[in-house]
């Protein structure tokens, strides 16, 4: 990818029709660009197919974006025929929305991302330049602080914001070029956008592995296969392999929880040619498991939130699933320790694919309807096996009610003592270890790393001695 140039920009003074604050607010459409545009320069048909699949996943956008600590959310809302940014405050007694329209309507694919100080980062594209600004309320109007722009001379380069980083004071973006992928700091730096790392290959996804915003996992497509790698943003963008289940498998990291080490992955290792959902624990020597209950033939299952705070028992973390099928979109709640998915209807107006767990096991789902333009539905997770009755926890509802209006690298992490083996339930799912000769173990970060495993299960494993989940 041709190096991108950074330059300061002034606020655009074009005067267009102002956004009507009093109009109805609609769900953000997100980025809906043609996915085929993201596969320019891919030659073989097989490679093109894999890259096309990555592009489709890359352009799938949730209805809104929530900060890592759950204090704010942001989305594009609709007033008449005009789109405008909207910030939601979620940490008060009741959620409320603040519209942030500027002097011109936004394009449907415009990206927004909330920061924990209440400002909203907006990413616009104009004449091949990616322009970034911070929006904030100023009484009756909207203030805008220009941050600068990233200019990509290569027309085939695609730049997207990464998920909110831990801490919430910085924001990052990924620029995917023809031969490499650049990681940019676009908000929170000293002098506007800063180039942090260059990763060979085409990267997608983006999952934060720690609580400091140092270790970023990316799904890299290279040499005809997709594997997850880790980029250390404080060591000059050093790249290390993370997820390598088999030599010829396509392995992607979907979600990670820094407290428990629980990882949700998608891989075709257990069934070549057909990707399946699986889970593992970072630092564990046990194999990756692919539960049969997560295997669906007529619908798409996408995990979008993991319950935090379960440090010693990753298998008890509740996982929220978005399920899309012929009958529509609904919710699923699943725990690794269980062999079933609890299916629940989605609340009316749910901003699909978005939500946040509390440590106590309550799933918070943002929604917007004509009657309630800013709301949060709360769903208690079904109790797991062996959990005592909790009278204050609501039973899984038939219909979800809509209420009225210093960073530590992994090899230095304090694994010993804190990550003792927990009670091990018996699992009957497909378990896959890394193949011998696959170039390394799955969940590998850096050579020479040690540490005890976290949690885990006790099902029968394959005879190979190659560890499938190690932080080595």
């Amino acid at each position: 990818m041709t190096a991108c140039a950074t330059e300061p920009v002034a606020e655009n003074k074009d005067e267009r029709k102002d956004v009507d604050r009093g109009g109805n607010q609609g769900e953000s459409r997100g980025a809906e660009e043609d996915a085929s545009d993201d596969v320019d320069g891919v030659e073989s048909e097989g490679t093109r197919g894999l890259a096309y699949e990555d592009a489709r996943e890359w352009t799938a956008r949730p209805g809104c974006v929530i900060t890592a600590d759950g204090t704010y959310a942001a989305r594009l809302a609709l007033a008449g025929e005009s789109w405008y940014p909207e910030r939601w405050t979620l940490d008060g007694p009741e959620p409320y929305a603040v519209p942030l329209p500027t002097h011109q309507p936004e394009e449907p694919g415009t990206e927004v991302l909330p920061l924990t100080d209440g400002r909203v980062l907006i990413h616009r594209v104009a004449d091949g330049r990616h322009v970034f600004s911070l929006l904030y309320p100023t009484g009756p109007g909207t203030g805008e602080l220009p941050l600068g722009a990233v200019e990509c001379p290569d027309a085939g380069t695609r730049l997207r914001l990464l998920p909110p980083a831990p801490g919430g004071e910085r924001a990052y973006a990924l620029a995917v070029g023809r031969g490499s992928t650049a990681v940019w700091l676009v908000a929170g730096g000293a002098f506007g956008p800063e180039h942090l790392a260059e990763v060979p290959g085409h990267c997608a996804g983006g999952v934060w592995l720690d609580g400091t915003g140092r270790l970023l996992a990316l799904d890299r497509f290279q040499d005809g296969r997709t594997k997850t790698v880790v980029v250390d943003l404080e060591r000059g963008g050093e790249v290390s392999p993370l997820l390598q289940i088999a030599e010829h498998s396509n392995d992607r990291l979907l979600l990670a929880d820094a407290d428990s080490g629980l990882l949700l992955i998608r891989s075709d290792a257990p069934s070549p040619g057909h990707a399946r959902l699986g889970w593992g624990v970072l630092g564990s020597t046990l194999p990756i498991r692919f539960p049969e209950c997560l295997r669906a033939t007529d619908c798409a299952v996408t995990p979008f939130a993991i319950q935090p705070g379960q440090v010693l028992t990753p298998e008890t973390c509740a996982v929220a699933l978005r399920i899309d099928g012929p009958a529509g979109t609904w919710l699923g709640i699943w725990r690794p320790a269980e062999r079933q998915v609890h299916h629940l209807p989605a609340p009316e107006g749910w901003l699909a694919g978005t939500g946040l767990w509390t440590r106590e096991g309550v799933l918070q789902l943002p929604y917007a309807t004509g009657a309630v333009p800013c709301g949060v539905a709360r769903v208690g997770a079904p109790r797991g096996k062996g959990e005592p009755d909790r009278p204050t926890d609501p039973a899984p509802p038939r219909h979800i009610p809509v209420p009225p209006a210093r960073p530590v690298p992994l090899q230095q992490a304090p694994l010993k003592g804190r990550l003792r083996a927990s009670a091990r339930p018996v699992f009957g799912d497909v378990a896959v270890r890394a193949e011998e000769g696959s170039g390394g173990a799955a969940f590998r970060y850096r050579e020479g790393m040690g540490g005890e495993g976290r949690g885990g299960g006790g099902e029968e494993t394959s005879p190979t001695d190659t560890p499938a989940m190690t932080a080595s």
Side-chain angles (χ1 to χ4, degrees):
M1 185 186 73
T2 305
C4 299
T6 304
E7 56 183 75
V9 297
E11 184 176 355
N12 193 335
K13 298 299 182 181
D14 290 344
E15 295 184 359
R16 298 184 183 180
K17 178 181 176 182
D18 288 340
V19 177
D20 180 9
R21 291 174 181 264
N24 294 329
Q25 298 169 351
E27 180 177 343
S28 169
R29 295 178 185 175
E32 296 180 353
E33 298 177 356
D34 186 357
S36 63
D37 291 343
D38 287 346
V39 296
D40 293 340
V42 182
E43 298 178 356
S44 69
E45 289 300 322
T47 299
R48 179 178 294 274
L50 289 172
Y52 182 78
E53 180 182 353
D54 280 348
R56 293 179 60 189
E57 292 181 3
W58 181 241
T59 55
R61 299 288 172 180
C64 70
V65 181
I66 306 175
T67 57
D69 64 356
T71 54
Y72 292 101
R75 67 169 186 144
L76 280 187
L78 187 64
E81 298 181 354
S82 301
W83 295 93
Y84 65 94
E86 184 177 74
R87 187 197 71 188
W88 290 26
T89 300
L90 305 177
D91 61 345
E94 294 291 338
Y96 64 91
V98 176
L100 297 172
T102 57
H103 50 271
Q104 61 184 22
E106 306 296 344
E107 295 296 326
T110 300
E111 291 185 295
V112 291
L113 184 145
L115 303 181
T116 52
D117 62 5
R119 297 181 294 179
V120 173
L121 174 70
I122 186 166
H123 166 214
R124 303 182 178 106
V125 182
D127 300 326
R129 300 166 69 249
H130 299 266
V131 184
F132 301 92
S133 297
L134 289 175
L135 306 179
Y136 54 93
T138 57
T142 301
E144 181 167 352
L145 175 64
L147 298 177
V150 174
E151 185 174 350
C152 301
D154 189 346
T157 299
R158 296 290 181 264
L159 189 146
R160 299 286 185 268
L161 294 179
L162 285 166
E169 298 176 351
R170 296 186 168 197
Y172 300 82
L174 212 59
V176 184
R178 294 181 180 273
S180 65
T181 301
V183 180
W184 287 83
L185 172 66
V186 295
F191 306 102
E194 301 176 16
H195 181 270
L196 300 180
E198 196 78 23
V199 183
H202 297 259
C203 294
V207 177
W208 298 101
L209 296 180
D210 62 342
T212 65
R214 172 176 179 173
L215 302 178
L216 174 65
L218 298 173
D219 300 327
R220 178 171 66 178
F221 178 77
Q222 192 176 40
D223 300 328
R225 299 294 171 185
T226 300
K227 304 290 183 182
T228 304
V229 298
V230 178
V231 182
D232 190 329
L233 299 182
E234 292 193 3
R235 297 190 59 160
E238 178 180 282
V239 179
S240 303
L242 176 71
L243 185 58
Q244 298 182 125
I245 302 177
E247 182 179 359
H248 299 293
S249 63
N250 293 287
D251 314 316
R252 300 175 177 86
L253 180 63
L254 305 180
L255 287 178
D257 175 59
D259 292 336
S260 63
L262 179 63
L263 305 179
L264 273 295
I265 69 171
R266 194 185 301 277
S267 174
D268 60 2
S271 53
H274 301 279
R276 293 181 56 179
L277 282 178
W279 69 280
V281 181
L282 187 65
S284 174
T285 58
L286 296 172
I288 304 164
R289 304 174 190 87
F290 295 86
E292 287 296 325
C293 64
L294 297 181
R295 188 175 188 177
T297 57
D298 58 349
C299 58
V301 181
T302 307
F304 63 89
I306 300 177
Q307 179 186 0
Q310 315 303 304
V311 177
L312 299 178
T313 55
E315 65 276 356
T316 66
C317 292
V319 179
L321 310 170
R322 170 182 173 171
I323 306 176
D324 297 280
T329 299
W330 66 97
L331 287 170
I333 295 179
W334 164 81
R335 285 184 174 92
E338 299 181 356
R339 299 176 64 183
Q340 64 174 327
V341 175
H342 301 271
H343 296 267
L344 301 170
E348 180 185 357
W350 177 41
L351 304 181
T354 60
L356 199 70
W357 286 101
T358 67
R359 291 176 176 266
E360 295 74 27
V362 176
L363 180 60
Q364 303 177 93
L365 302 169
Y367 68 90
T369 65
V372 184
C374 174
V376 175
R378 294 174 173 85
V379 182
R383 289 187 293 273
K385 296 179 180 180
E387 286 191 73
D389 289 339
R390 295 173 291 178
T392 57
D393 285 356
R398 287 180 176 271
H399 301 284
I400 299 176
V402 175
R406 156 190 102 74
V408 181
L410 294 184
Q411 77 271 24
Q412 299 176 12
L415 299 181
K416 294 186 177 181
R418 184 172 73 91
L419 303 175
R420 289 186 286 270
S422 61
R424 296 185 173 184
V426 176
F427 301 90
D429 308 317
V430 176
V432 178
R433 285 188 179 275
E435 292 182 356
E436 293 190 53
S438 64
F443 305 151
R444 173 186 298 275
Y445 172 63
R446 182 169 296 136
E447 295 297 333
M449 186 184 303
E452 298 177 2
R454 314 190 201 193
E459 74 273 4
E460 189 173 331
T461 61
S462 55
T464 177
D465 293 330
T466 304
M469 290 175 290
T470 60
S472 59

